[in-house]
Amino acid sequence: MEPPPPLRDRHPAALADELVEEILLRSPPDDPARLVHAALVCKRWCRLISAHAFRRRFRPAPMLGFLCNDAPRAREGDEACSARFVRTAASCPPIATRHGWHALDARAGRVLLHRAAAAQEIRLAVWDPLAATGDRDHLDLPAPALPRRPRSSNAALLCDDEPADGPPFRVVLVGTDAEGAFASVYSSSAAPEPAAWSDPAYAPQHAADHVDTARAAVAGGALYFVCQRRTNLLKYDLGTGAMSVVRLPPASHNQRIALTTAAEHGGLGFVRMDGYRLGLWSMVGRPDGGGAVEWTRDRVIDLRTLLPVIDLLGYAHGHGIVLVGTVDGFFYVDQKSGRITKVGDGPGFYNVVPYVSFCTPALGTVSTDEVSSANE
């Protein structure tokens, strides 16, 4: 009589980390809860999802919500303006409103804030909304040393995608004053020198009109800022620090625009409202030394029968989402499908900044109870 076959191990061999990572990379970026649930399976999966290598490959990073800049009210003091966080992902914890600040930009889980109080100097801060709450959840930047009071200004945040030791970052400040357009750069990793602003560099006054506060876009190794007349963009070359002007297609009047970037190749574009029609434009070729460039209108989305749009509020880079405002709140319009989704209630805000980041539990907190609750 032959002996019975050996019993198989009831616990199959665990998949290699590389295979688990390839599976998790296929999680839909528009459903951040999938990654949270996966991180709660075990400490090993949580460690994989929290690793810098995984987050660099996962594109685009999940969108957790929006920072809505409330319009100033008729009262004095620092509390006249605020940046209010509106969650779009249930996995994102509630985030308190930043009174007295406006959100200018957000990248790699950090937000660039501008102090809204009327003052002679420019006051900026870098904020991590998912950090522990308290008075030190943001880093106040020193005021840049400018020779003259600026007439207009805007800034953009540049940082790596969450390295393990906390990413160094740069802030590029551009603006105009009585002598022309200027740019200055703050770097948090200027070792061995201490972090500080660079000396401002200037371009001729005719190079651009005043800079608008709309969110900047990064494309082709350069930063692009909208000018207030909405007929030009101010280009800042990240490699050389040179500034130039890019002309926009003519419009019937001063229409608000939002800069866009293509998810496939990172090319520059913009969206503009023409009545109730949303026009999507993209750049063809490269700007030359004089700023000449060609634009093509790729698509028009007619919102006349869908939304009573009164304003264009922003764009979610990497996600192809256009943000528009109405009297009933604000909505996002999917650039590819044209699908419309309501995000927040109420008017009275402008320049909505999308917030994308990874929200996973701490490695030491994964427990059986959390796994059970995540699967309910």
Side-chain angles (χ1 to χ4, degrees), residues 71-208:
R73 295 176 175 85
R75 63 174 184 264
E76 300 292 333
D78 291 353
E79 305 301 311
C81 306
S82 62
R84 176 168 52 91
F85 190 87
V86 176
R87 291 187 298 167
T88 57
S91 57
C92 179
I95 296 174
T97 297
R98 305 301 293 191
H99 294 288
W101 296 90
H102 277 168
L104 296 179
D105 200 3
R107 300 182 195 278
R110 282 163 166 74
V111 179
L112 179 63
L113 299 172
H114 169 250
R115 193 66 177 175
Q120 297 293 325
E121 61 184 12
I122 295 174
R123 298 180 60 188
L124 300 171
V126 176
W127 172 42
D128 184 351
L130 297 180
T133 58
D135 295 335
R136 303 311 304 166
D137 60 354
H138 70 271
L139 173 65
D140 289 303
L141 304 187
L146 302 175
R148 289 168 294 274
R149 182 178 180 181
R151 294 176 174 175
S152 68
S153 67
N154 196 1
L157 177 66
L158 302 173
C159 51
D160 199 1
D161 293 334
E162 302 188 40
D165 57 351
F169 62 87
R170 286 183 293 164
V171 174
V172 178
L173 171 71
V174 301
T176 58
D177 62 18
E179 297 296 325
F182 66 85
S184 182
V185 180
Y186 178 91
S187 176
S188 68
S189 59
E193 299 296 328
W197 289 96
S198 66
D199 293 332
Y202 276 82
Q205 175 65 43
H206 63 77

Side-chain angles (χ1 to χ4, degrees), residues 16-26 48 53-54 57:
D17 287 355
E18 294 79 5
L19 293 178
V20 175
E21 183 173 312
E22 290 299 326
I23 294 172
L24 295 177
L25 284 170
R26 286 158 174 76
L48 286 174
F54 176 85
R57 295 183 63 193

